[in-house]
Amino acid sequence: MTTTTLFLRFFLLFFLFFAFGVGSFSFASANADSGKESDNKYLSELRSKLQIEPITPHIDALSKFSSSEDELKGVTRLVYSKEDLEARAYVKNLMKKNGLKVREDAMGSIFGRLEGVEKSQKGGGHVVGSGSHTDAIPLSGKYDGVYGVLGAIEALGALKRAKFQPRRHLEAVMFNSEEPSRFGMACSGSRAMGGVLDAEKLETLPDVLNASTSFFDAATQAGYGSKWRGEKNERARTAKEMVEQCSLMPMDSHYYSFVELHIEQGPELEHENLDIGVVTAIAAPAALEITFEGDGGHAGAQLMHLRNDAVVAGSKLAVAVEEFAKHSGSVDTVATVGGFTVKPNAINSVPRSAVLEIDVRDIDLKRRDLVVEQIISTANKVASEQRVRVNVRMINKDDPATSGDSAMSAAELAASHLGHTQKRMVSRAYHDTLFIAKACSNVGMIFIPCFKGYSHRPDEHSTEDQMRKGVETLALTMAKLSRERPIVEDHEDVNQEHVKLPFFISEDDEENNNAKTDPPEPNDEL
């Protein structure tokens, strides 16, 4: 074979590669760019059609469902209580009034769905969700959690009124029992969804309202647990079955994305005069209980050199806890001695017991756990120095969560379309999304400012304008996530279906969709 022939063959192969390889790549890239331009165009049109209705009247209405004697002293609404059941009825009816299809799981989490057209899961999860909780710690504010539930419902209602056509289903969620006030465990509903709730441990949790009642008993009395029936007549005869029925595992089988809307519960956005916070990561706590025990004695008769004072030991540890957090190398590390119980707690008695409840949080798991190790090591050292006995009990250690790139990008794009000022930030508080991240790899959160960063207190507050900006940002975020291409791009039929799907619903299609949703219950008034 001559050199000329080899050269011609090489040139021909190069030409074919360029024509069909690079050329097709360029064509695909052009299509992708065209798709992005089309999405941007339609999002702008959707923005102009969004009509967000006021949230404050619903916030005020839910605050009435409270066992607090004085409304000015805050809201108290423990899970499965009479007030909690009243709030649930309100939420379900509001979902129905906004044209959402309502279902409940075996523990009592509530889902309101705006149906999309996708029937398969070829590209991963087929639902885009948002939501929070409505239970409230004693004497708390009326916005924490509640805004995220009402905001999600309103966002989907606004999208429906704008005749937006979802590809993936959209869900507004009210999570069961985010607060630990009744059973001492936070986020039981979302833990179950994420497959990390231990049913045996759940049943051992003490009930502050009734010492003889288990979690499963309380759920059953509220109409869930053994009284629950699923959409296909599923049942939950035991606590284990109840927890299993709530699972959304395996990972990414249900949610394509989940974005929680929440007040910041901190002062950053207000201080910087920003509208929206796009959360990059959620810190998770490690909680531990450390008990020091001395021998006690009479405050006058026991000489100083003979004492083994439990409070002195506990105080030294409390100071060390603060120092460990301050010197971790990151402002994202926080540690709190939130409980310090002394016995016999009498002015004329040398303390013989000191119990410290310690909370350590960070978005970095290794850094947080290093602080925990330092605390435990120091507790043992102090106990030896003060000649007291020590016991360490780990209450829980949860993993931090990182937001998905797609969820963060969608939220940032939505805020930009709406002209809202924004920043990326960390969530240092605990949220249900932390555990939904166990079942969905593409989670996110949207924060709005709150007055002085106050939360879990009666003067917790966000303005109607601040809440509106959060809701419309969430609405566009969910619309974008509902319509974007699957993460798995090798399903051409799904992608072609995506390209052909109109962005808005025609009047004929709207009549058909309305027929699928649940009508509001006639006796439930909002």
Side-chain angles (χ1 to χ4, degrees):
M1 188 178 294
T2 65
T3 303
T4 303
T5 304
L6 283 171
F7 176 79
L8 289 172
R9 287 189 176 185
F10 175 79
F11 180 79
L12 180 61
L13 286 171
F14 179 79
F15 174 79
L16 290 171
F17 171 79
F18 182 82
F20 295 100
V22 177
S24 61
F25 174 78
S26 300
F27 179 73
S29 298
N31 274 346
D33 291 339
S34 174
K36 289 180 180 178
E37 290 174 6
S38 177
D39 280 350
N40 287 340
K41 171 191 170 185
Y42 285 124
L43 282 175
S44 295
E45 186 177 349
L46 178 58
R47 176 197 63 194
S48 67
K49 292 184 176 185
L50 279 182
Q51 298 294 324
I52 306 298
E53 296 182 355
I55 299 293
T56 302
H58 299 299
I59 296 249
D60 291 341
L62 280 173
S63 73
K64 305 295 183 186
F65 306 130
S66 169
S67 60
S68 302
E69 293 181 3
D70 185 350
E71 184 180 340
L72 297 177
K73 291 182 179 179
V75 177
T76 301
R77 189 164 51 243
L78 304 190
V79 65
Y80 300 139
S81 65
K82 176 178 72 72
E83 297 78 22
D84 180 47
L85 297 182
E86 290 170 340
R88 290 168 185 271
Y90 188 97
V91 166
K92 287 185 283 188
N93 203 39
L94 186 60
M95 286 178 170
K96 293 173 182 177
K97 282 181 176 289
N98 278 275
L100 309 183
K101 183 178 180 180
V102 178
R103 71 175 179 90
E104 296 174 275
D105 70 15
M107 290 179 73
S109 293
I110 304 170
F111 304 80
R113 175 174 288 194
L114 181 60
E115 295 280 354
V117 299
E118 187 174 88
K119 302 303 179 186
S120 68
Q121 298 181 36
K122 292 181 178 179
H126 59 297
V127 180
V128 175
S130 179
S132 197
H133 64 98
T134 59
D135 61 323
I137 68 170
L139 306 179
S140 68
K142 55 186 177 182
Y143 294 82
D144 172 28
V146 171
Y147 169 59
V149 175
L150 297 175
I153 296 171
E154 177 56 30
L156 298 196
L159 289 174
K160 185 175 177 62
R161 292 190 295 271
K163 295 183 172 55
F164 168 70
Q165 173 61 73
R167 177 172 175 266
R168 298 178 180 89
H169 308 306
L170 300 178
E171 276 185 350
V173 184
M174 190 218 80
F175 289 106
N176 187 63
S177 187
E178 194 264 2
E179 302 290 5
S181 303
R182 181 168 181 180
F183 290 98
M185 176 183 283
C187 303
S188 61
S190 53
R191 284 178 192 267
M193 293 180 201
V196 291
L197 181 60
D198 185 331
E200 290 185 10
K201 181 178 180 180
L202 186 71
E203 283 297 84
T204 65
L205 299 176
D207 180 3
V208 301
L209 297 183
N210 187 340
S212 63
T213 302
S214 70
F215 192 103
F216 185 70
D217 291 338
T220 297
Q221 290 167 14
Y224 305 104
S226 65
K227 290 184 179 179
W228 172 82
R229 296 292 182 274
E231 293 178 307
K232 298 179 181 178
N233 206 35
E234 305 98 323
R235 298 186 64 182
R237 288 173 285 265
T238 64
K240 184 173 184 292
E241 288 183 0
M242 175 182 72
V243 170
E244 289 172 348
Q245 288 289 354
C246 297
S247 174
L248 298 181
M249 299 300 283
M251 172 71 85
D252 293 330
S253 62
H254 181 79
Y255 283 122
Y256 170 78
S257 184
F258 189 92
V259 181
E260 183 172 357
L261 180 64
H262 211 282
I263 62 170
E264 181 193 344
Q265 297 182 291
E268 288 185 43
L269 293 176
E270 185 182 64
H271 283 180
E272 297 176 38
N273 196 28
L274 297 173
D275 301 318
I276 297 294
V278 177
V279 172
T280 59
I282 305 170
L288 58 160
E289 179 187 85
I290 298 181
T291 302
F292 292 108
E293 290 186 347
D295 297 317
H298 192 284
Q302 192 175 58
L303 299 179
M304 298 303 292
H305 71 280
L306 297 176
R307 297 183 181 191
N308 57 351
D309 190 326
V311 162
V312 173
S315 299
K316 288 186 174 183
L317 181 62
V319 172
V321 167
E322 182 179 34
E323 291 303 308
F324 293 144
K326 284 182 176 178
H327 295 94
S328 74
S330 172
V331 296
D332 293 325
T333 310
V334 292
T336 307
V337 180
F340 200 133
T341 305
V342 179
K343 291 181 181 179
N345 198 29
I347 194 170
N348 63 344
S349 180
V350 177
R352 58 178 179 265
S353 172
V355 181
L356 285 73
E357 294 171 299
I358 304 170
D359 181 295
V360 185
R361 303 188 186 216
D362 205 321
I363 60 171
D364 185 284
L365 184 62
K366 290 183 179 179
R367 192 168 57 220
R368 183 203 68 186
D369 286 351
L370 175 59
V371 171
V372 172
E373 290 172 10
Q374 290 173 320
I375 291 171
I376 294 172
S377 175
T378 301
N380 287 309
K381 181 181 177 183
V382 167
S384 177
E385 292 172 349
Q386 298 300 128
R387 305 189 312 279
V388 297
R389 298 168 294 280
V390 64
N391 179 66
V392 177
R393 182 173 73 90
M394 188 62 62
I395 299 171
N396 66 272
K397 287 176 72 175
D398 295 312
D399 296 341
T402 301
S403 296
D405 290 337
S406 167
M408 287 190 292
S409 296
E412 288 173 326
L413 179 65
S416 296
H417 267 281
L418 292 159
H420 299 331
T421 55
Q422 59 178 291
K423 66 175 280 188
R424 287 194 172 195
M425 63 189 302
V426 168
S427 170
R428 293 182 175 86
Y430 214 68
H431 299 289
D432 284 301
T433 300
L434 187 71
F435 298 101
I436 292 300
K438 299 289 186 182
C440 174
S441 59
N442 189 27
V443 299
M445 291 192 73
I446 295 170
F447 280 170
I448 65 164
C450 56
F451 175 64
K452 293 185 178 181
Y454 291 166
S455 187
H456 281 196
R457 46 188 283 178
D459 51 356
E460 176 182 271
H461 179 71
S462 291
T463 67
E464 184 63 50
D465 186 57
Q466 288 168 334
M467 290 192 288
R468 175 188 56 78
K469 289 177 179 178
V471 173
E472 61 189 11
T473 299
L474 177 66
L476 287 190
T477 299
M478 296 184 77
K480 174 71 169 62
L481 290 167
S482 172
R483 297 282 306 198
E484 72 181 15
R485 302 291 181 92
I487 294 174
V488 180
E489 285 286 1
D490 58 352
H491 298 287
E492 190 60 31
D493 55 336
V494 174
N495 289 323
Q496 288 302 315
E497 177 186 295
H498 170 89
V499 171
K500 296 175 183 177
L501 185 66
F503 204 85
F504 294 100
I505 300 173
S506 67
E507 291 186 7
D508 289 342
D509 289 337
E510 185 180 23
E511 289 180 7
N512 293 331
N513 287 342
N514 286 339
K516 299 177 184 177
T517 57
D518 298 328
E521 296 174 12
N523 295 325
D524 284 352
E525 294 186 1
L526 296 180

